Amino acid sequence: MEKAVSKVPEFKQYYLSEFEFFDGDEFITFNIIGINVARNTVTVAVSDRGKISIIDFELMVDADDNLYFEYGCTFKKIYLNDFMEV
């Protein structure tokens, strides 16, 4: 059973933070635009190969209490701590 996401720090810390992920072919840019603690979701603007999508991802917590969501067909873990303010 997954841990509940109840220890989300203040949202302002993550608002419009950016993370770039290299999928082996292209860089994919993520920008956090919302966190819903009640639904355990994070809303992210994803820029992938010239296409911008707004996607809700389920927030999960690993064994070290780090928040992350999974992206792509390989379910790559994208940690919220890796996002930086731009």
Side-chain angles (χ1 to χ4, degrees), residues 12 45 49 69 84:
K12 290 179 186 178
R49 292 167 178 82
F69 60 90
M84 300 173 125

Side-chain angles (χ1 to χ4, degrees), residues 23-82:
D23 69 354
D25 205 22
E26 296 285 333
F27 280 98
I28 301 169
T29 304
F30 299 92
N31 292 93
I32 296 176
I33 57 175
I35 296 177
N36 186 331
V37 178
R39 292 183 37 210
N40 290 340
T41 60
V42 59
T43 304
V44 180
V46 181
S47 301
D48 185 0
R49 292 167 178 82
K51 180 180 175 186
I52 300 173
S53 305
I54 306 296
I55 305 173
D56 287 334
F57 293 100
E58 179 183 359
L59 273 177
M60 294 175 259
V61 181
D62 67 5
D64 297 325
D65 288 334
N66 295 316
L67 295 170
Y68 70 94
F69 60 90
E70 296 175 334
Y71 180 76
C73 59
T74 60
F75 301 106
K76 173 67 178 165
K77 291 182 180 179
I78 308 293
Y79 285 91
L80 297 189
N81 291 340
D82 292 339

